[in-house]
Every structure is written in C-alpha cells, then in structure tokens.
C-alpha cells in the first residue's frame, strides 16, 4: 500500500497544533552555537554570560555519564599538565612555592568530588512516593583569588559542572593569564570530545567593574566568591544567593598532653605550605606554660628557624602594616612579603639562613600584630599561656569570629571538646596539619572554596544545586497495602 506522505505530514502537523493548544510543549528548538570556538575566553561580561547560557542549554540535554566525561578532561589536564601550569602560575603571581603550586593542581584533579557526590532522597509511605533530586542553578558567577588562581578555578569548575551548571570566572588580576590558559585548555579538550564549548568562561582582563557586572547580571543565577572581606561583602549584598569563602586567621592550641615532636612537624608542614598562603594554614600558636619551652625546642629540631625578640620586632616593622580607620583599623601583611620564602623574610632583617628553610617562628606577646593578622607569610608567632583555658580563650579572640579553621594538639578529649565549642569553626583539626582537614592526610574531600560566612562549609557539587521535589500520590508504593 502506498503512503501519501503529504497527507501524513498534514495530519502530524494538525496533531502537534492541537497538543500545543492543550499546553503540551513541542520539541525544543535547536541551540544556535554563536560562541563556539572561543574556548571560554572573553573580554566582555555580557558575551561571556551569553556563551555560558548557550553552553548550559546544551549541557542540560546531555547525560550524567557525558557530564562525568566532561569533568574527567579537567581532571586529566590538571594532573598531566600540573608541572607546566603550576610553573606558569608561579611565574605570574610570584608568591608561594613552586612544588606546592604543582601539587595543588594535581591533588585537586585527583580528589575534587564529582558526579558521584550527587544523590537523591526518597520518601515512601501510605500516600505514595516522593523523590527529591538536585538540579543545577544554571550559570554561576565566580571570583577566584590570587593565592590559588588556577587551583581554585579548577576545583570550582569540577564541582559546579558536576552539578550540571556552567560558570563565568572573574579571576584576580594578578593570576589572570594562568586562569585564562587553564580555561582554554579545559574547554578545548571538552569540545573535541563532546562538542560543547564554553562550559567555563573567563574574563581575560578582570577588574572590580567586571566582577560587579557579573554579580548584577540577570542571567547569573548563583554567585561563588573566594576572596577578601571587600569582595565577600559585595557578593552578599546582591539580590541572589551567594556562596562566600571569606577570610580566616586559624589559631593552634598545644596543651601539656600533646606529642610535641609530632605537633612541631605538623605546625611546620601546615604553616609553611605554599609559604602560608592557605586560608586554613596555621597562623599563630598558643601553647601552655608547662610545655612551651619544650615545644620551641621541638620546632627547632624539626627544621624551623627561631627568631629572637629583636629579630621579631624588626620583622614586624617591615612585614606588617595597618589599614582602615578607627575601630576598623587592623594589621595586614605587607604585599612585598606575602607568600615569599622564609629566607627572604630573614634577609629583610639582616639574618642569613639556608634557602631550604621552610618556616620562621618565635615567641611574642598576645598583642603582637602577627598574632592578629592573616599575614600569609612563613613566620608563626608563639604565645605563652598559663593553661589550656587561657590558650583557648586567646585563640578565640585571635580568630576574630571568622569561624574558619582551628587546630589543637592534645590527647585530652575534654580540651578538644572545649576548644571545638568555643571557636565554632567550619574546620577543626585535632593532632594534624591544617590540610588534613581537607582530606590531605585526613579523611574527607577537598575544595579550596570554604564557605564559612554563608554556612555551606567545604563546597561540593551538592552546594551548587537546588532541590526539586517530585511526588506520586497513592501510587508506586509497592510495600504494604
């Protein structure tokens, strides 16, 4: 029997018209790929957001397995090219330590949680079945810091895209070139395999104005900011949800029950990592009188170099300055010394030490500005305390209520509990270096966006999702009557 193709097309069109009239949507129109071939590099915020919207429309039609393949390319490049990209970041930013720049990229490629972190919740009962799933927001606007330019971008990209989003980054101007190169490589590999471009976009000439434009853009559904107090406040003032990783000044308490040699090794490992650029890094130590001198000796045995009172005074004068007015006046590190090697800090005060020394330390009183500044350089002040209660109280004051990170070395569970309750921080590490709180030497997962001010904590793909509930009433419950 012959088929009248013209008649079939007419009937099909009539059916589709009726369905549309009844509110049944037709097939979505094909996506117009206006920005294909840009590989995420943009100078204009509107173009970057439009490209990310275009990429989100395409990504939304792909499977979870394809999403995993997509982020696997980011992981692979971060791991395989960590030496080249880490060196590029070190040469551009000129802060930190090269071996740690390389290691941070590799570890984020290996350990950042991906699509496996997504989960659904199910409620089953007499009245049917309800499923709660985690859906993407859409296009995320993100700000990244100079301290970890490409590492923060890489970890954020994996988590955000695993959740189904696309993202527009405004990197710190001092790390813009390595951020752009990383984004270009990631997008190029993804496009070659999956045919999707611009899943992550970057502003190649970032400014405060471009950050504000991203914050206010109508097509940016969610903000994620990792940076200082100013940019954090700006993000939280927007009329949209913001995930904000703010400042920290992590204190360490060492009591009389601690393993002092282990405590010393852990303090050096954490405080010297990338020359103390980590926001979770040990910034100041409060040790009880009974073991204070033994702890100082343990620090020297472990390889740190001790400064005397005159040397600390000279370093404080050179490396710390003040910003703000009145009650907002506070100490900060001098830019020239932030993220620099211990040997450079020593040379600034006329002291010669081997280039491979990782950390300087010394005894100060509680009022020394190094105690209260998030100074981000490899010098740690040690403050002598009468007992553990005084040490915990001074740690609480020095942490400034940021509720970021705190560390204790102790074998006394009561003391650990006291400090945990008193400081109420997002990360609390017992008997390890700070990075153990991010799963590096401890259990758990890693992220360089630790959202204390807005409460999400160490971010995961679930952080960048919204809940959707689907309820089937009086059906699909196969247990019971």
């Amino acid at each position: 029997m012959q088929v009248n193709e013209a008649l079939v097309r007419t009937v099909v069109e009539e059916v589709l018209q009726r369905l549309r009239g009844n509110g049944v949507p037709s097939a979505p129109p094909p996506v117009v790929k206006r920005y294909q071939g840009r590989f995420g590099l943009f100078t204009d915020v509107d173009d970057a957001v439009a490209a990310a919207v275009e990429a989100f429309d395409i990504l939304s039609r792909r499977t979870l397995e394809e999403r995993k393949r997509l982020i696997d390319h980011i992981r692979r490049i971060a791991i395989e090219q960590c030496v080249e990209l880490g060196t590029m970041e070190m040469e551009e930013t000129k802060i930190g330590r090269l071996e740690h720049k390389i290691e941070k990229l590799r570890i984020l490629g290996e350990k950042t949680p991906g699509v496996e972190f997504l989960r659904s919740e199910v409620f089953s009962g007499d009245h049917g079945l309800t499923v709660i799933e985690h859906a993407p927001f859409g296009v995320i606007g993100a700000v990244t810091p100079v301290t970890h330019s490409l590492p923060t971008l890489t970890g954020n990209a994996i988590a955000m895209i695993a959740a189904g989003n696309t993202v527009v980054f405004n990197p710190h101007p001092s790390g813009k070139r390595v951020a752009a190169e990383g984004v270009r490589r990631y997008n190029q590999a993804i496009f070659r395999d999956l045919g999707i471009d611009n899943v992550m976009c970057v502003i190649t000439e970032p400014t405060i104005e471009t950050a504000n434009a991203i914050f206010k853009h109508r097509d940016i559904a969610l903000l994620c900011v990792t940076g200082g107090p100013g940019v954090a406040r700006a993000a939280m003032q927007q009329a949209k949800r913001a995930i904000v990783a703010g400042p920290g000044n992590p204190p360490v308490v060492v009591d009389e029950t601690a393993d002092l040699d282990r405590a010393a090794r852990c303090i050096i490992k954490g405080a010297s990592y990338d020359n103390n650029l980590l926001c979770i890094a040990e910034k100041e130590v409060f040790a009880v009188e009974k073991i204070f001198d033994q702890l100082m000796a343990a620090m020297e045995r472990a390889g740190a170099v001790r400064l005397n009172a005159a040397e600390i005074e000279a370093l404080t004068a050179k490396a710390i300055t003040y910003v703000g007015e009145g009650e907002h006046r506070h100490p900060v590190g001098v830019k020239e010394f932030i993220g620099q090697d211990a040997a450079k800090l020593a040379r600034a005060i006329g002291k010669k030490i081997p280039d491979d020394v990782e950390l300087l330390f010394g005894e100060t009183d509680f009022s020394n500005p190094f105690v209260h500044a998030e100074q981000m350089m490899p010098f740690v002040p040690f403050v002598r305390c009468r007992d553990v209660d005084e040490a915990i109280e001074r740690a609480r004051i020095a942490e400034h209520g940021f509720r970021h990170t705190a560390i204790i070395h102790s074998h006394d569970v009561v003391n650990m509990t006291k400090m945990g309750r008193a400081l109420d921080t997002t990360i609390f590490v017992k008997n390890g270096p700070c990075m153990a709180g991010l799963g590096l030497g401890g259990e758990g997962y890693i992220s360089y966006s630790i959202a204390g001010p807005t409460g999400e904590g160490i971010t995961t793909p679930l952080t960048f999702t919204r809940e959707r509930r689907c309820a089937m009433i009086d059906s699909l419950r196969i247990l019971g009557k």
Side-chain angles (χ1 to χ4, degrees), residues 132-283:
I132 298 175
E133 294 184 296
H134 296 271
F137 273 84
V139 180
I140 298 174
V143 172
T144 55
V146 65
T147 48
H148 326 285
S149 182
L150 187 55
T152 301
L153 184 153
T154 299
N156 280 349
I158 291 172
M160 292 168 179
I161 297 167
N165 304 284
T166 56
V167 55
V168 176
F169 287 104
N170 197 85
H172 191 284
S174 296
K176 64 184 180 183
R177 289 197 298 276
V178 70
E181 180 59 19
V183 164
R184 186 190 67 79
R185 295 185 187 195
Y186 297 155
N187 275 307
Q188 197 167 52
I190 292 163
F191 178 70
R192 285 171 177 167
D193 181 21
L194 292 153
I196 312 175
D197 195 6
N198 304 311
V199 290
M200 66 209 87
C201 299
V202 65
I203 305 302
T204 56
E205 294 296 333
T207 62
I208 293 174
E209 289 72 27
T210 57
N212 285 329
I214 291 171
F215 289 170
K216 298 178 185 302
H217 202 288
R218 62 181 298 174
D219 289 329
I220 294 291
L222 178 68
L223 300 175
C224 180
V225 170
T226 307
V231 69
R233 283 193 299 270
M236 289 191 289
Q237 288 168 358
Q238 304 306 312
K240 59 186 74 177
R241 184 181 168 196
I243 297 164
V244 177
N249 192 41
V252 184
V253 166
V254 184
D255 75 7
E256 62 271 26
T257 71
D259 179 334
L260 300 182
D261 285 311
R262 174 174 176 158
R265 291 193 301 271
C266 289
I267 291 167
I268 293 171
K269 183 175 182 179
S272 68
Y273 193 88
D274 210 20
N275 285 340
N276 203 257
L277 290 178
L278 295 179
C279 57
I280 62 170
E282 293 85 342
K283 306 293 186 186

Side-chain angles (χ1 to χ4, degrees), residues 20 32 44 171 175 200 262 278 313 327 352 400 436 450 458:
R20 292 181 192 122
V32 179
D44 181 79
M200 66 209 87
R262 174 174 176 158
L278 295 179
E313 184 178 358
E327 63 179 12
K352 185 171 177 57
H400 303 307
I450 302 164
I458 301 169

